[in-house]
Amino acid sequence: MSGLLSGVVGAFVEAWSELRVNKLRVLLSLVGVAVAVAALTAVVGLGSLAEQSTRESSEKSGGRPATYTVSAYTTGAGVLDPALVDREFRSTMSRYDVTWASEALYTTRSVQLPGGLTDVSAQIVDPEYGEMHRVALAEGSWFVDGDERRMAPAVVVNEALWEQLGRPPVSSHPTLQLRGADSATGVVVGVTAALYEGEGPAIFLLPSDELDLVPVSQGGYPESPQYEMWLPPGSGDELSAMVQGNLAAALGDDVQVDVSRTDYAAYAGDTDPFLPIKLTITGVGVLVLLLGGLGLVNIALVTVRQRIREIGVRRSFGATAPRVFFSVMLESVAGTVVAGVVGVMVAVLVVQNGTVQGFIAQGAVDDLPPFPITAALVGLGSATLIGAVAGLLPALVAVRVKVIDAIRY
């Protein structure tokens, strides 16, 4: 056991000594490996950032996994009572301890703007909607519990509407005239960040028992109520089916209750929705690393050819074939490990750069992922592997050298 250990240690010492002797040549040969490792590690790290950005963008529109939309409408000649639906929905949420649930009614609302009376997109939501959809704010704050008791309705506007209002400071409590069945003066408490370029003016309102904030449809009936609930992905389907059954029983046979999942994960089934991104990132990283490894193999072969006489002398003094094999191979491994450490450090600096993150994410990321430890491990592991592979062929060449021929070389 001690003989084996001393042999391994001796091979490492010889490899390190050889690296020191040929440090300039080794340095030049490892530049490509360091660049390849840095590229691979940076690609993996930036890929996790791009994946998180894509995930958050999807969650802003469709909700977090697992978000279910609940809607109700009549199937007969009767008129649906929105107040009854609202009462039964909230009672059901309380019964099943669903914390994250919100009304999510899309409608329009007439508002008084400097250019005249204008119909804008409106959503009737609860405060929980902001967390469920990762609503990002450019100014002010989102709704909080207690806003529904304000004398003047709290209003959150988007940046497009804020621009039309003249971008007044939210701290000055700007107001917005809401026109319709019940006219009211709303107080702007927050401004949502634009989701895309060219977004039209829109507002968010809280449900109100005092004011009729939902206009009637063209047929003269109130808009059909609509709600959302954020359920655990593992039990979401089962729980949503129970909610649907309870609501259908409570609202009667003339009311159809539909529950459907709307978040991005609902369309992926059992597969990873970000698998194409991950495969592309992995493919690019492997290709970059292979290019760096090919350069190292070429230089290592040339180096061994120039050291044939030295290897022959070592063999004549008693160096065994395994000792020569591991010594030559470990020269590449030791060098690539150092190059891998340097490459990972460079990749960390690149991935953590704010400018690079902003370019890759294409917008603000709420849950900015830390530098993935897996990316660093992949970089170091790949550097070690490429060093072993690159050193294998030169080591085989060195072992096959005949002592007499090598001394005469």
Side-chain angles (χ1 to χ4, degrees):
M1 183 67 180
S2 60
L4 178 62
L5 182 60
S6 62
V8 172
V9 173
F12 271 103
V13 172
E14 290 177 9
W16 181 249
S17 300
E18 191 61 37
L19 287 176
R20 292 180 62 186
V21 172
N22 302 282
K23 56 185 177 182
L24 180 59
R25 180 183 299 171
V26 171
L27 178 63
L28 293 176
S29 67
L30 294 178
V31 167
V33 176
V35 172
V37 171
L40 173 62
T41 309
V43 165
V44 175
L46 293 174
S48 66
L49 177 62
E51 180 182 336
Q52 180 64 19
S53 175
T54 304
R55 178 181 288 107
E56 290 192 10
S57 178
S58 300
E59 290 175 354
K60 288 177 180 179
S61 57
R64 301 180 189 241
T67 297
Y68 293 81
T69 298
V70 181
S71 57
Y73 54 90
T74 58
T75 56
V79 177
L80 185 64
D81 182 4
L84 174 61
V85 177
D86 184 80
R87 185 167 59 252
E88 293 298 336
F89 175 79
R90 298 184 187 280
S91 174
T92 303
M93 294 298 98
S94 177
R95 182 180 306 120
Y96 290 108
D97 293 325
V98 178
T99 304
W100 299 101
S102 169
E103 186 170 354
L105 178 60
Y106 292 82
T107 182
T108 58
R109 184 74 193 192
S110 297
V111 298
Q112 186 67 50
L113 297 177
L117 196 62
T118 305
D119 288 337
V120 301
S121 299
Q123 281 184 257
I124 311 298
V125 298
D126 289 281
E128 289 77 10
Y129 182 91
E131 183 69 18
M132 294 166 62
H133 284 264
R134 291 185 179 271
V135 176
L137 294 172
E139 294 285 339
S141 61
W142 182 249
F143 300 120
V144 296
D145 291 335
D147 279 346
E148 69 278 3
R149 295 189 294 272
R150 285 172 174 258
M151 296 297 293
V155 180
V156 174
V157 302
N158 68 348
E159 283 194 273
L161 184 54
W162 191 41
E163 288 283 353
Q164 296 189 27
L165 294 175
R167 300 179 65 88
V170 175
S171 59
S172 66
H173 307 293
T175 60
L176 184 65
Q177 299 297 320
L178 306 173
R179 305 297 185 186
D182 285 337
S183 296
T185 300
V187 178
V188 178
V189 298
V191 180
T192 61
L195 294 177
Y196 54 89
E197 187 176 354
E199 184 179 25
I203 60 175
F204 293 90
L205 298 167
L206 290 172
S208 174
D209 295 331
E210 308 296 333
L211 300 173
D212 182 9
L213 300 177
V214 182
V216 296
S217 64
Q218 294 182 355
Y221 301 108
E223 295 277 1
S224 298
Q226 188 166 310
Y227 299 86
E228 288 184 355
M229 49 186 181
W230 177 18
L231 306 178
S235 58
D237 289 344
E238 180 182 358
L239 185 54
S240 64
M242 296 171 65
V243 169
Q244 182 178 17
N246 276 259
L247 285 176
L251 297 177
D253 296 336
D254 292 337
V255 178
Q256 175 70 36
V257 178
D258 290 334
V259 177
S260 59
R261 186 170 174 179
T262 57
D263 62 274
Y264 68 88
Y267 308 103
D270 295 331
T271 62
D272 184 355
F274 299 103
L275 184 61
I277 297 178
K278 294 178 180 178
L279 292 178
T280 301
I281 292 170
T282 303
V284 172
V286 170
L287 178 61
V288 170
L289 190 61
L290 286 177
L291 293 176
L294 287 175
L296 181 61
V297 170
N298 291 332
I299 294 178
L301 281 173
V302 173
T303 301
V304 168
R305 290 292 183 184
Q306 294 176 349
R307 294 173 54 199
I308 288 181
R309 184 178 181 83
E310 172 201 333
I311 294 171
V313 171
R314 290 175 59 188
R315 292 292 302 275
S316 67
F317 276 91
T320 62
R323 180 70 171 267
V324 173
F325 177 86
F326 284 107
S327 177
V328 174
M329 188 176 71
L330 286 176
E331 290 176 19
S332 296
V333 173
T336 53
V337 168
V338 175
V341 172
V342 174
V344 169
M345 293 174 62
V346 172
V348 171
L349 294 176
V350 171
V351 174
Q352 296 299 103
N353 183 271
T355 303
V356 175
Q357 290 180 342
F359 177 76
I360 296 297
Q362 294 294 319
V365 177
D366 296 336
D367 297 332
L368 191 66
F371 187 86
I373 189 64
T374 53
L377 294 177
V378 166
L380 291 175
S382 301
T384 304
L385 179 62
I386 205 69
V389 173
L392 180 62
L393 186 59
L396 291 175
V397 172
V399 169
R400 294 173 65 89
V401 170
K402 295 181 179 180
V403 177
I404 298 300
D405 295 338
I407 294 176
R408 292 175 179 176
Y409 186 81

